[in-house]
């Protein structure tokens, strides 16, 4: 099979989906690898490093799409790429399909086979860990007076107290953020809706962080005394109310900071997405840091960890075929998003009101022993496509 590594073109994105280490492994499996020139430059991997492992260097993304059976990158498919998608071509990237209807339509129209990478991780994405850890530092930087913040230092100075940080969400992102803040001496509170998660966090940090159940009452009560808020909650895209509304933002002291790591529209009323080039804005006196691809700032570390985590999926698909790969790994199966013109992603069906078919049905593997995986989200859809034979 011909495997293609694209250079990501999203503004402010420096990561690469495969380093020379993964390319070497794929080639040893007997496949050809095409790498777009400059794909690894933002992460510190030069073209020669790929070529020395046997990769074929391609000048343009058009060459990658035109020559390769399997194409991979880090971030969403951009509009300039829609016309390059081909029937039966395998696409693997972070599609975020429920939030991008035009992208989904392009995938369906092309009749390609697309996997949304963010749903494929059995142990959580390294991108989430990276976003939490680096996001914690971005929040501390945003608190500096030179960026409009209060000018407080994370663990204080002699006679001056350290900061109070609120982490919303106790998943991989939240735990990663809390680990950095705790290690630097901040006073940390973590909120989550699962008391079991909060107990786990308490044990992880030797009961040196505060934990509370996450609800609007507790958040609203605590916000006026918080210096930095980190939103690490995967907010439902069809939610009817904000996690933090404008009045709650207004209750924070001037120069306080909100870091929206999750970047889900609808969680924080004063949110709008920013980029690394212009990462902050001030609204209601509060500094907002809302960069959507925080891990891109630590591109080499993130690329090394992320590429290693998805390599088993690449190898399984190329060595065993899609049906077998999805039978053996439920997390890969649930990430299948589009299959030859059919939507196979439940959350996208529920949010966009599109008909869908389960991956196990379209792949004709429902009668086999399938590796189990929990649903990627709580969004459900019974808007099924009816096909003869299913």
């Amino acid at each position: 099979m011909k495997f293609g590594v694209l250079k990501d073109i999203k503004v402010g994105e420096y990561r690469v989906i495969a380093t020379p280490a993964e390319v070497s492994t794929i080639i040893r499996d007997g496949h050809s690898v095409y790498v777009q020139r400059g794909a690894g430059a933002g992460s510190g991997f030069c073209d020669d490093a790929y070529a020395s492992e046997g990769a074929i260097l391609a000048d343009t993304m058009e060459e990658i799409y035109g020559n390769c059976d399997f194409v991979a990158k880090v971030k969403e498919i951009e509009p300039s790429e829609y016309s390059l998608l081909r029937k039966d071509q395998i696409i693997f990237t972070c599609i975020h399909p429920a939030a991008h209807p035009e992208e989904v339509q392009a995938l369906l129209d092309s009749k390609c086979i697309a996997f949304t990478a963010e749903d494929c991780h059995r142990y959580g994405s390294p991108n989430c860990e990276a976003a939490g850890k680096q996001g914690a530092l971005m929040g501390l930087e945003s608190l500096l007076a030179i960026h409009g913040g209060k000018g407080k230092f994370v663990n204080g100075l002699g006679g001056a107290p350290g900061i109070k940080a609120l982490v919303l969400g106790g998943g991989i992102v939240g735990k990663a953020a809390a680990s950095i803040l705790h290690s630097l001496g901040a006073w940390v509170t973590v909120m989550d809706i699962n008391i079991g998660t909060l107990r786990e966090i308490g044990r992880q940090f030797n009961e040196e962080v505060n934990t509370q159940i996450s609800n609007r009452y507790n958040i609203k009560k605590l916000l006026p005394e918080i210096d930095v808020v980190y939103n690490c909650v995967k907010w439902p895209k069809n939610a009817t109310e904000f996690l933090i509304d404008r009045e709650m933002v207004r209750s924070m002291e001037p120069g306080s900071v909100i870091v929206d790591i999750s970047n889900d529209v609808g969680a924080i009323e004063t949110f709008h997405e920013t980029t690394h080039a212009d990462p902050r804005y001030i609204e209601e006196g509060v500094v907002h840091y809302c960069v959507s691809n925080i891990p891109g700032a630590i591109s080499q570390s993130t690329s090394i960890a992320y590429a290693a985590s998805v390599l088993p999926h690449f190898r399984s698909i190329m060595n065993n075929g899609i049906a077998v790969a999805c039978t053996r790994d439920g997390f890969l199966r649930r990430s299948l998003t589009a299959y030859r013109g059919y939507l196979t992603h439940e959350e996208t069906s529920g949010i966009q009101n599109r008909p869908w078919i389960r991956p196990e049905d379209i792949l004709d593997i429902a009668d086999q022993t399938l590796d189990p995986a929990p649903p990627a989200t709580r969004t459900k859809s019974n808007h099924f496509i009816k096909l003869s034979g299913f």
Side-chain angles (χ1 to χ4, degrees), residues 183-227:
S183 68
L184 292 177
W187 297 4
V188 183
T189 298
V190 179
M191 288 189 182
D192 196 272
I193 60 173
N194 187 320
I195 194 168
T197 296
L198 296 178
R199 286 173 178 157
E200 179 185 334
I201 288 170
R203 291 191 295 270
Q204 177 180 343
F205 296 107
N206 299 314
E207 310 301 339
E208 293 172 353
V209 303
N210 297 316
T211 59
Q212 280 189 274
I213 290 293
S214 182
N215 56 46
R216 283 175 59 85
Y217 176 86
N218 284 341
I219 296 171
K220 186 174 182 178
K221 186 175 181 180
L222 195 59
L223 277 183
E225 64 184 71
I226 293 297
D227 299 302

Side-chain angles (χ1 to χ4, degrees), residues 306-325:
Y306 185 45
S309 75
V310 295
L311 177 62
H313 288 321
F314 294 165
R315 299 183 72 195
S316 185
I317 290 170
M318 288 189 281
N319 295 339
N320 303 311
I322 291 172
V324 172

Side-chain angles (χ1 to χ4, degrees), residues 320-332:
N320 303 311
I322 291 172
V324 172
C326 288
T327 299
R328 294 179 177 178
D329 194 312
F331 286 81
L332 179 64

Side-chain angles (χ1 to χ4, degrees), residues 97-98 101 104-105 108 238 343 345-356 379-385:
V104 170
Q105 191 60 53
L108 296 175
N238 55 353
L343 180 67
H345 194 261
E346 184 172 18
E347 182 189 28
T348 302
S349 172
I351 298 298
Q352 298 181 14
N353 195 31
R354 295 177 185 260
W356 77 298
T379 302
K380 300 295 182 184
S381 174
N382 292 319
H383 191 9
F384 291 111
I385 299 171

